[in-house]
Amino acid sequence: APADLAGRIRMAMAELQKLIAADGICIFLLADDDCYHLRFSCGTSEKACHIFPIANKDSAVGHAGKQHRLTTFEELPSGCTDEIRLIEAEQLQSLAYIPIRSKEKQTFGVIRIGSRTPQQFSPRLRNVLELIGNRIAVAIENAMLQEQVIKSEEKYRSVFNNDPNPIFIISPHTFQILDTNQTAQD
């Protein structure tokens, strides 16, 4: 059965986690405050993601967003000062940061995948991850556009129905009445 966006993303993350044997996946989306906010997570890094749910521009998530390309850490550097330090507690050895980009090539999110296996992200797997990132980006972008259309329709309906003047929408070909507001009906 069709699921909402959150349900589809969670299913995709669970499948991806099984497919590449990842230990954890988090998806951060860019908000109006220019920080990346946690929106979805699964696996062992879910705990670390919820401890640090907002990543600023100077974090590894922010860095991946600025780079506009997949970034990996195969051996985590010691003495990290951002969210990677929290991930060290989860004993993750490899991390991949996949930017989520719009059709206009603007980054609006980052997928972080963590693994306890060192050297997890081979060149072949990196290509697959970039493709998956693109597919998730399209799904999220389409859902955001659909939300905008729904809000626009609701706004139109509100203005249309609350206008004190009678409004008729008529077909230009058949002159059939297609819609009326409540004032016209009264």
Side-chain angles (χ1 to χ4, degrees), residues 10 20 76 91 108-109 124 159:
R10 286 188 185 93
I20 65 171
L76 297 182
Q91 298 177 339
F108 66 90
R124 183 173 173 228
V159 169

Side-chain angles (χ1 to χ4, degrees), residues 64-85:
K66 281 187 267 186
Q67 294 296 315
H68 305 296
R69 62 180 172 81
L70 183 134
T71 305
T72 60
F73 292 102
E74 293 299 339
E75 302 224 359
L76 297 182
S78 60
C80 296
T81 58
D82 62 7
E83 79 272 4
I84 296 176
R85 175 158 287 309

Side-chain angles (χ1 to χ4, degrees), residues 88-99:
E88 285 179 330
E90 301 294 326
Q91 298 177 339
L92 297 176
Q93 297 295 311
S94 300
L95 288 169
Y97 291 84
I98 308 159

Side-chain angles (χ1 to χ4, degrees), residues 96-136:
Y97 291 84
I98 308 159
I100 303 172
R101 299 177 69 195
S102 67
K103 288 183 278 190
E104 293 81 26
K105 305 298 183 199
Q106 297 296 317
T107 300
F108 66 90
V110 174
I111 302 168
R112 180 175 62 206
I113 300 175
S115 174
R116 290 185 174 128
T117 306
Q119 307 295 318
Q120 171 73 17
F121 304 108
S122 67
R124 183 173 173 228
L125 182 54
R126 290 169 57 101
N127 290 337
V128 170
L129 291 176
E130 285 181 336
L131 291 172
I132 290 169
N134 291 339
R135 296 296 300 152
I136 289 175

Side-chain angles (χ1 to χ4, degrees), residues 159-168 180-186:
V159 169
F160 180 77
N161 288 328
N162 293 320
D163 192 309
N165 299 306
I167 299 175
F168 295 86
T180 62
N181 68 353
Q182 189 61 45
T183 305
Q185 291 177 15
D186 293 345

Side-chain angles (χ1 to χ4, degrees), residues 27-101:
I27 297 179
F28 293 83
L29 297 180
L30 191 61
D32 292 336
D33 62 0
D34 282 340
C35 291
Y36 291 89
H37 293 252
L38 176 67
R39 288 290 305 271
F40 308 99
S41 61
C42 70
T44 58
S45 64
E46 187 168 9
K47 180 180 169 187
C49 290
H50 286 287
I51 292 170
F52 195 77
I54 300 173
N56 64 28
K57 289 189 241 181
D58 298 326
S59 68
V61 170
H63 176 73
K66 281 187 267 186
Q67 294 296 315
H68 305 296
R69 62 180 172 81
L70 183 134
T71 305
T72 60
F73 292 102
E74 293 299 339
E75 302 224 359
L76 297 182
S78 60
C80 296
T81 58
D82 62 7
E83 79 272 4
I84 296 176
R85 175 158 287 309
L86 295 172
I87 294 169
E88 285 179 330
E90 301 294 326
Q91 298 177 339
L92 297 176
Q93 297 295 311
S94 300
L95 288 169
Y97 291 84
I98 308 159
I100 303 172
R101 299 177 69 195

